């Protein structure tokens, strides 16, 4: 069982890591879905792990892009402050309300994003 868990975690890490390096958006959601659905984590620890992994991959990207002068610092600082504030509020709510709350919020936000992307895609291709 332990070897299978490690093997699945490595495979998911490679797959999601490749996606994150190539495209990026939604990586945290893919991590949470994989940690919960495949590896059996509860939503709260899965969300925490996803945040740590996202931080590490973003730090790795900065190590590459800063020497090349390819960082939009003003935008990055604004987004970073928003992320810190949102993370603080979200962490307090998650600890106070537990995994059921985190799961419900995750499903709500991902569902809204799916609807929005579907709507935008439909308009882009003239489906409606």
């Amino acid at each position: 069982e332990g070897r299978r868990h490690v093997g699945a975690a490595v495979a998911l890490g490679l797959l999601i890591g490749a996606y994150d390096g190539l495209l990026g958006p939604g990586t945290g959601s893919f991590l949470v879905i994989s940690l919960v659905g495949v590896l059996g984590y509860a939503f709260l620890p899965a969300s925490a792990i996803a945040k740590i992994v996202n931080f590490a991959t973003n730090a790795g990207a900065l190590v590459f892009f800063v020497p090349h002068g390819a960082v939009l610092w003003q935008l990055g600082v604004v987004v970073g402050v928003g992320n810190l504030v949102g993370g603080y509020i979200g962490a307090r709510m998650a600890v106070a309300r537990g995994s059921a709350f985190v799961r419900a919020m995750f499903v709500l936000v991902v569902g809204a994003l799916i609807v929005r992307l579907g709507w935008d895609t439909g308009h882009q291709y003239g489906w409606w």
Side-chain angles (χ1 to χ4, degrees):
E1 180 85 23
R3 282 185 146 173
R4 189 179 317 169
H5 181 88
V6 170
V10 168
L12 289 169
L14 288 171
L15 183 67
I16 294 171
Y19 169 81
D20 190 26
L22 290 170
L23 299 172
T27 300
S29 297
F30 294 141
L31 283 165
V32 172
I33 290 167
S34 298
L35 289 168
V36 172
V38 177
L39 299 177
Y41 285 81
F43 261 84
L44 194 55
S47 296
I49 291 167
K51 295 291 184 194
I52 293 166
V53 171
N54 262 336
F55 176 80
T57 60
N58 290 337
L62 283 174
V63 167
F64 178 80
F65 289 114
V66 166
H68 291 89
V71 177
L72 302 174
W73 289 105
Q74 292 168 331
L75 179 61
V77 168
V78 171
V79 171
V81 169
N83 197 334
L84 285 171
V85 171
Y88 177 77
I89 293 168
R92 290 181 57 88
M93 290 177 72
V95 169
R97 298 186 181 187
S99 282
F101 173 75
V102 174
R103 182 182 312 113
M105 292 307 298
F106 180 81
V107 169
L108 179 71
V109 170
V110 170
L113 288 172
I114 290 169
V115 169
R116 173 65 191 262
L117 286 171
W119 181 263
D120 289 348
T121 302
H123 276 289
Q124 181 181 359
Y125 290 105
W127 299 339
W128 46 77

